[in-house]
């Protein structure tokens, strides 16, 4: 969740009265994962209970997929959304190269192991940090999977059930949308984001959809182009007529934000004396 803090601080700087609700999309599938995601979405909804208007801000493909699942599980959220930001995604899976998909899967596995402090046991003598040992363990099976012509089968359980890009393009509220991408992004390709922007425009021709090309690596546009990034968010909120937008945010040196699929969100509402419910995925000014 700490990876979302830089984006959170931007919204709190330019909209001090807003609440920001953050959540992370795992990208995992299966019965147990889906049950956990449904509970996560309920937490998000509870956190936004008294927010009349929200801005949805997604990071990467998994963040956007989480938003699509929120939209499907809680379709009433459409009535509250005032604007949307899609940062470094989404892009349909077919636009990802084999090498990029391999690194995404590897990064997801490493994150799960490290965050949950799962011990890795390898045959023979091993040395180095836990992450290095984990890489030794997962590289061979990943090589075996991604060397096959049918490597896309590892996504087969999820894709037929729910196409997040198609669902969101068709069911998103027709509010102003800002898509941010970069020609330097080696994870979610610029061409894929442009295709999704065209899909949104085709699905809802009257919807204002704006695509901006910034400098920066994947989910590092804020770090590389902070002034431009923050001004675009400010312009979007004003275009949407959202209340509580104080003015140009203070541009500060932001800490590292690792490349990870996530969703950031928040909602415009009077500040509360007590913190919002536990972290969960959320649509809102984020």
């Amino acid at each position: 969740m700490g990876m979302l803090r830089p984006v959170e601080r931007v919204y709190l700087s330019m909209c001090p009265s807003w609440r920001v609700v953050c959540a992370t999309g795992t990208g995992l599938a299966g019965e147990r994962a889906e049950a956990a995601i449904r509970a996560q979405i309920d937490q998000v909804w509870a956190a936004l209970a008294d927010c009349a208007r929200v801005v949805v801000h997604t990071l990467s493909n998994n963040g956007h997929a989480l938003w699509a699942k929120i939209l499907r599980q809680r379709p009433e959220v459409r009535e509250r959304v005032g604007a949307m930001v899609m940062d470094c995604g989404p892009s349909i899976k077919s636009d990802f190269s084999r090498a990029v998909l391999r690194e995404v899967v590897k990064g997801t596995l490493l994150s799960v192991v490290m965050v949950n402090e799962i011990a890795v046991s390898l045959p023979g003598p091993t040395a180095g940090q836990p992450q290095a040992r984990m890489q030794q363990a997962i590289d061979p099976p990943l090589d075996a999977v991604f060397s096959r012509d049918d490597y896309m089968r590892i996504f087969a359980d999820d894709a037929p059930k729910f196409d997040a890009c198609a669902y969101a393009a068709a069911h998103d509220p027709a509010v102003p949308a800002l898509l941010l991408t970069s020609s330097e992004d080696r994870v979610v390709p610029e061409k894929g984001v442009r295709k999704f922007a065209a899909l949104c425009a085709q699905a809802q021709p009257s919807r204002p959809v704006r695509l901006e090309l910034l400098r920066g690596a994947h989910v590092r546009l804020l770090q590389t182009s902070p002034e431009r990034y923050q001004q675009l968010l400010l312009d979007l909120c004003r275009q949407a007529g959202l209340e509580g937008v104080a003015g140009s945010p203070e541009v500060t040196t932001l800490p590292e934000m690792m490349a990870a699929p996530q969703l950031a969100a928040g909602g415009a509402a009077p500040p509360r004396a007590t913190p919002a419910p536990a972290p969960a995925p959320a649509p809102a000014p984020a």
Side-chain angles (χ1 to χ4, degrees), residues 9-255:
R9 283 194 290 271
V10 169
Y11 280 99
L12 292 177
S13 172
M14 68 181 188
C15 309
S17 66
W18 287 12
R19 179 182 315 140
V20 179
V21 180
C22 299
T24 297
T26 65
L28 300 177
E31 187 175 335
R32 293 178 61 186
E34 289 302 319
I37 292 170
R38 287 193 297 271
Q40 184 188 31
I41 291 172
D42 287 339
Q43 284 185 298
V44 172
W45 188 248
L48 298 172
D50 55 352
C51 296
R53 303 292 285 167
V54 298
V55 170
V56 177
H57 188 132
T58 65
L59 297 179
S60 194
N61 257 49
N62 277 3
H64 182 264
L66 179 57
W67 156 247
K69 291 176 181 178
I70 293 172
L71 185 60
R72 181 177 60 170
Q73 183 171 323
R74 292 284 187 174
E76 60 269 36
V77 73
R78 297 179 79 257
E79 304 304 318
R80 299 195 196 179
V81 176
M84 295 186 65
V85 181
M86 286 159 273
D87 184 342
C88 293
S91 172
I92 60 174
K93 289 188 178 76
S94 61
D95 283 317
F96 287 82
S97 69
R98 186 183 307 228
V100 165
L101 278 176
R102 184 191 186 282
E103 290 308 304
V104 169
V105 172
K106 181 176 179 178
T108 300
L109 291 173
L110 286 173
S111 297
V112 169
V113 169
M114 301 303 293
V115 168
N116 292 282
E117 300 181 351
I118 299 173
V120 178
S121 177
L122 296 174
T126 59
Q129 297 298 316
Q131 183 165 337
R133 295 199 300 273
M134 181 59 188
Q135 290 189 33
Q136 294 178 50
I138 66 175
D139 276 337
L142 282 178
D143 288 339
V145 169
F146 282 93
S147 65
R148 299 170 58 105
D149 291 337
D150 62 344
Y151 68 92
M152 284 295 290
R153 76 186 191 281
I154 66 173
F155 301 103
D157 288 343
D158 185 49
K161 295 178 184 176
F162 185 57
D163 185 333
C165 287
Y167 187 88
H171 295 88
D172 272 350
V175 298
L178 172 65
L179 287 86
L180 304 176
T181 186
S182 169
S183 58
E184 301 169 34
D185 193 328
R186 297 295 178 261
V187 178
V188 177
E190 175 193 345
K191 68 175 183 179
V193 178
R194 290 188 179 277
K195 284 184 181 180
F196 181 74
L199 181 64
C200 290
Q202 180 181 4
Q204 301 188 64
S206 63
R207 183 184 188 187
V209 177
R210 177 181 181 181
L211 186 143
E212 288 287 339
L213 188 67
L214 278 68
R215 290 193 57 252
H218 187 60
V219 297
R220 293 188 57 82
L221 307 185
L222 174 56
Q223 282 80 352
T224 308
S225 308
E227 295 175 342
R228 178 63 177 154
Y229 186 102
Q230 295 175 64
Q231 187 60 51
L232 287 169
L233 297 188
L234 186 63
D235 291 346
L236 178 71
C237 292
R238 287 174 171 165
Q239 178 188 4
L242 298 173
E243 298 179 359
V245 182
S248 299
E250 178 182 356
V251 177
T252 59
T253 301
L254 298 168

